[in-house]
Amino acid sequence: MLHARPNERPNSFRTGPDENGRFGLFGGRFVAETLMPLILDLQKAYEAAKGDPAFQAEMASMLTHYVGRPSPLYFAERMTEHLREVAAASGLSGGAKIYFKRDELNHTGAHKVNNVLGQILLARRMGKKRIIAETGAGQHGVATATLCARYGLQCVVYMGAVDVERQKPNVFRMKMLGAEVVPVTSGSKTLKDAMNEALRDWVTNVAETFYCIGTVAGPHPYPAMVRDFQCVIGNETRAQMMEAEGRLPDSLVAAIGGGSNAIGLFHPFLDDPSVEIFGVEAAGHGLSSGLHAASLTGGRPGVLHGNRTYLLMDEDGQIQDAHSISAGLDYPGIGPEHAFLHDAGRVTYLSATDDEALAAFQLCAKLEGIIPALEPAHALAKVMELAPKKPRDHLMVMNLCGRGDKDIFTVAEHLGGM
Amino acid sequence: MSRLPTTFAANAAAGRASLVTFVTAGDPDPETSLAIVKALPGAGADVIELGMPFSDPMADGPAIQWSSMRALKAGMTLKGTLALVATFRKTDAQTPIVLMGYYNPIYVYGVARFLADAREAGVDGLIVVDLPPEEDDELCLPALAAGLNFIRLATPTTDDARLPAVLANTSGFVYYVSITGITGAATPDFSKVSAAVARIKRHTALPVAVGFGVKTPEHAAAVAQGADGVVVGSALVETIRTSLDGAGKATEGTVAAVTSLVRGLADAVKAVRK
Ligand SMILES: Cc1ncc(COP(=O)(O)O)c(C=O)c1O
């Protein structure tokens, strides 16, 4: 054979992006000229930092002593038993052994801090004194405000006015930490509009400002850089599972907003063909309702916020509002690497509705004594579907990427006050 | 053949700068928008920049964001924008038209189909904010091959090392963004515009038009001193907005409000002899 067929399985799924920031068709650098020199600078600075042992040592030390890593890989025994009973009730003898990767135990309560730490240390290296960020659920905003406080940097967080309302505890937290929270009233007043506004700020305050993006989106190098910082999740999981079970997991499950917690767990396993991988998007009121945030299942390729990826949009290419009970999943796009992994068939993308996530949220609290964030509750909803169909020796890891303190009011409202 | 080189050359020969006016296609509604566009050349606009409305105009300030929203709400689409140009061309074969906007609607329309339809409608050039030279394969090179100009933005952050790359596939004119920022926000330091234009002209023979933050005839005159073209946008769409009735509908005064401002700008630009 002289020529590889285009749809042949590549040698590795882990080599992207190329020098232009592309993961196959997806990714790229679709930004205004004003920003282009800045993202080229950022790319250079990031590459230098990546190869600098001093930078890596500082990251490692802060991850241990400030963030609290490694996060445990926890055998969710009662959830496992419960889903085995569910299996038995429908005449099945199986039921996977379920592990939670406990990133909700990180300082600030979610995986977001893994990435923020990396970007803030990079901003310091670049001599930037002013940090801006967009946030949906507020977890990325809180993590950014936290590290800005820790390093004495100015912090401005853009947050859709709708999200300011539904994630009040996090707004208060950010303010306590000394950040300025700017409610965004343009467009749909949620995460995509917060990102537009952050980009407008960046284009205006180019010299002193570092834009700390909260997920694997934006122009190159952000999707690759944020992924690299989040890969600590998957790298730890690999070692911890080897220690606990003496082998790799059989499947991974994670929720997807922009896709950073998911890619962090998935990426170290992409080239292990025995590992099945599932990403879970938010199906809101249901895919057929049109009110959802499932860009891969319900969208098509387009260009927004600096990269090409799957987007929710109308026939004319106008971006549509996403809908999810979870503010962190309420984004009409998805990181470009997920778009690539979807088209390549390496990762299977499912979706969970608001109601399914709410049911999983409650079950997790009652069975495991863990109140999850609504985002990983979407992943758990699919674990509840997948696990009963797997054999008992199947090892399934779910990324419990955030805790639910921020969501208790939203959930209470939906459950009628409890 | 693009009408842009002829227009800029003729005005330069007459010793003056060109006035480039931006309005969003379909703002405040398709019919009024067509009337506005048709009235622009008579009021003194030399080049018409027509915004292709987009839901997420990341590089634009509130004035153009709202203008885009009004147009979309009134049902404007990319297809509708091209139809507006085609209708305009039935009565005006001379005034160059440049479409300005973001890549997604074009990408979704299909690049090849868009370029064919744009040419057919009588479009002369394109400005696509989120396509830097690094993404030239996407639309810039196909547009040049289709005989359309591709006008690039150069900004204060585009240093001398980067300018050649930015100018390499630029044609028609160069659009110098006088501030780091979004449209309609800051007012530039006009005393620095001439030097900035001169810097770009060391790298290209193309005309250089300057925009972002030019709002009044006084601003326009200041920019015309040093530039080959003056671009005004936010001020025009704000004039549209303030002319609307309580329900956001066009009034008798809408078209006249725009033409009156354009006339003032054109007079100011023409008064600067070069
Ligand atoms: C706990 C939690 N999980 C998931 C997400 C979604 O982001 P991503 O898909 O990048 O992990 C968020 C975003 O705010 C979050 O707070």
Side-chain angles (χ1 to χ4, degrees):
Chain A
M1 271 298 293
L2 288 174
H3 301 286
R5 281 182 310 249
N7 54 359
E8 209 166 65
R9 195 185 175 86
N11 290 330
S12 171
F13 289 101
R14 304 181 66 216
T15 55
D18 67 15
E19 66 275 17
N20 297 315
R22 295 295 180 92
F23 302 90
L25 174 67
F26 303 102
R29 288 179 286 214
F30 296 89
V31 296
E33 172 60 21
T34 313
L35 293 181
M36 201 56 220
L38 278 79
I39 66 169
L40 292 174
D41 265 3
L42 174 65
Q43 189 181 340
K44 250 190 251 152
Y46 174 55
E47 269 156 26
K50 207 158 75 169
D52 180 352
F55 180 83
Q56 296 299 344
E58 196 179 2
M59 276 282 297
S61 164
M62 282 295 283
L63 283 172
T64 306
H65 302 291
Y66 192 72
V67 176
R69 300 207 74 93
S71 69
L73 182 68
Y74 163 74
F75 170 41
E77 195 173 350
R78 291 199 66 209
M79 184 62 72
T80 300
E81 278 168 15
H82 170 76
L83 293 177
R84 283 179 178 165
E85 283 162 21
V86 169
S90 49
L92 299 168
S93 61
K97 190 168 178 186
I98 296 160
Y99 281 85
F100 291 162
K101 178 61 174 163
R102 304 270 322 260
D103 256 53
E104 103 279 12
L105 293 175
N106 293 337
H107 180 41
T108 71
H111 67 290
K112 296 284 178 187
V113 69
N114 303 328
N115 160 49
V116 172
L117 173 63
Q119 290 198 54
I120 294 298
L121 293 182
L122 187 59
R124 274 162 58 82
R125 267 175 82 101
M126 295 175 75
K128 305 282 184 181
K129 300 265 185 284
R130 179 176 181 269
I131 309 296
I132 59 171
E134 84 295 334
T135 197
Q139 288 304 116
H140 175 61
V142 166
T144 307
T146 297
L147 280 150
C148 285
R150 168 64 183 76
Y151 286 106
L153 300 166
Q154 186 191 348
C155 180
V156 179
V157 180
Y158 290 93
M159 187 168 188
V162 168
D163 295 336
V164 167
E165 212 35 57
R166 63 177 162 174
Q167 307 275 255
K168 276 200 191 115
N170 275 344
V171 175
F172 183 67
R173 249 176 226 134
M174 287 185 269
K175 289 186 177 163
M176 286 291 295
L177 292 160
E180 180 191 347
V181 180
V182 183
V184 176
T185 53
S186 58
S188 62
K189 306 181 178 65
T190 59
L191 185 51
K192 91 173 163 73
D193 310 285
M195 193 144 184
N196 288 336
E197 216 50 44
L199 284 164
R200 290 180 187 122
D201 178 314
W202 201 23
V203 117
T204 308
N205 304 294
V206 290
E208 69 272 30
T209 300
F210 185 100
Y211 181 15
C212 181
I213 296 185
T215 190
V216 283
H220 180 61
Y222 283 100
M225 177 172 72
V226 175
R227 173 200 70 199
D228 293 350
F229 291 142
Q230 290 293 1
C231 273
V232 66
I233 301 173
N235 289 332
E236 284 177 8
T237 300
R238 217 180 156 89
Q240 289 166 323
M241 191 57 101
M242 288 307 290
E243 169 131 5
E245 299 277 356
R247 64 184 183 88
L248 292 182
D250 298 298
S251 62
L252 308 171
V253 187
I256 301 204
S260 69
N261 86 83
I263 205 79
L265 175 64
F266 299 169
H267 197 263
F269 295 97
L270 288 176
D271 287 340
D272 297 295
S274 69
V275 182
E276 262 187 291
I277 307 184
F278 301 95
V280 183
E281 298 189 290
H285 295 254
L287 292 181
S288 55
S289 71
L291 300 174
H292 61 81
S295 344
L296 282 179
T297 331
R300 58 213 160 97
V303 173
L304 182 72
H305 293 155
N307 68 84
R308 175 161 32 225
T309 189
Y310 278 77
L311 299 171
L312 300 179
M313 57 185 161
D314 70 12
E315 270 194 354
D316 189 41
Q318 308 300 336
I319 308 304
Q320 286 171 325
D321 297 347
H323 288 269
S324 171
I325 189 174
S326 144
L329 305 182
D330 212 346
Y331 181 68
I334 181 166
E337 192 164 13
H338 286 290
F340 165 75
L341 292 169
H342 168 77
D343 280 13
R346 175 60 185 103
V347 177
T348 304
Y349 293 88
L350 309 168
S351 62
T353 63
D354 289 354
D355 288 344
E356 289 173 321
L358 278 167
F361 179 98
Q362 296 172 79
L363 191 68
C364 189
K366 296 215 170 98
L367 287 182
E368 293 291 349
I370 299 171
I371 299 177
L374 278 170
E375 291 82 12
H378 285 72
L380 185 58
K382 293 298 116 166
V383 167
M384 287 160 61
E385 259 177 45
L386 293 166
K389 296 177 197 137
K390 303 289 185 193
R392 282 174 177 249
D393 61 355
H394 181 104
L395 305 176
M396 181 175 283
V397 177
M398 187 200 85
N399 199 0
L400 216 180
C401 60
R403 56 178 175 248
D405 311 35
K406 68 182 176 63
D407 293 317
I408 50 179
F409 301 110
T410 307
V411 173
E413 203 174 290
H414 279 266
L415 299 181
M418 304 184 79
Chain B
M1 268 300 283
S2 166
R3 298 164 185 83
L4 284 165
T6 334
T7 298
F8 275 99
N11 291 338
R16 70 172 181 91
S18 299
L19 176 65
V20 182
T21 53
F22 172 96
V23 289
T24 303
D27 175 24
D29 60 77
E31 199 184 322
T32 311
S33 180
L34 176 63
I36 291 171
V37 172
K38 278 184 164 173
L40 287 173
D46 298 303
V47 176
I48 296 172
E49 222 179 273
L50 200 53
M52 301 174 275
F54 182 47
S55 54
D56 293 79
M58 275 119 18
D60 286 297
I64 293 180
Q65 290 174 37
W66 295 332
S67 157
S68 219
M69 290 304 149
R70 287 193 296 271
L72 290 174
K73 225 173 136 193
M76 203 50 167
T77 58
L78 186 50
K79 209 168 157 204
T81 300
L82 293 170
L84 193 158
V85 175
T87 309
F88 172 83
R89 277 281 171 253
K90 286 184 190 156
T91 53
D92 185 323
Q94 243 116 56
T95 312
I97 293 200
V98 175
L99 295 183
M100 177 162 186
Y102 296 81
Y103 186 37
N104 195 55
I106 297 172
Y107 179 69
V108 168
Y109 193 95
V111 166
R113 183 177 150 229
F114 170 76
L115 291 174
D117 291 357
R119 252 190 76 116
E120 172 83 19
V123 170
D124 298 281
L126 305 174
I127 302 177
V128 184
V129 180
D130 50 357
L131 285 177
E134 281 74 4
E135 303 292 353
D136 267 358
D137 291 343
E138 294 283 335
L139 180 67
C140 172
L141 297 179
L144 295 179
L148 291 171
N149 285 142
F150 197 84
I151 296 117
R152 193 107 58 194
L153 306 181
T155 71
T157 59
T158 315
D159 61 17
D160 282 325
R162 185 170 164 78
L163 254 180
V166 168
L167 297 171
N169 294 315
T170 301
S171 63
F173 64 98
V174 180
Y175 187 149
Y176 181 67
V177 176
S178 52
I179 52 162
T180 57
I182 50 178
T183 53
T187 302
D189 178 349
F190 293 110
S191 67
K192 293 199 174 133
V193 166
S194 296
V197 171
R199 176 170 78 93
I200 293 171
K201 282 182 165 291
R202 282 199 289 279
H203 296 267
T204 180
L206 290 169
V208 178
V210 175
F212 278 47
V214 184
K215 291 178 180 138
T216 63
E218 293 71 36
H219 293 168
V223 170
Q225 309 271 352
D228 305 304
V230 180
V231 189
V232 183
S234 295
L236 294 179
V237 301
E238 271 302 88
T239 301
I240 294 177
R241 185 176 69 84
T242 50
S243 78
L244 304 177
D245 67 15
K249 298 271 181 266
T251 59
E252 299 260 291
T254 297
V255 177
V258 176
T259 51
S260 143
L261 175 57
V262 171
R263 216 165 267 124
L265 293 162
D267 288 346
V269 167
K270 281 175 194 154
V272 179
R273 304 301 305 171
K274 309 176 37 124

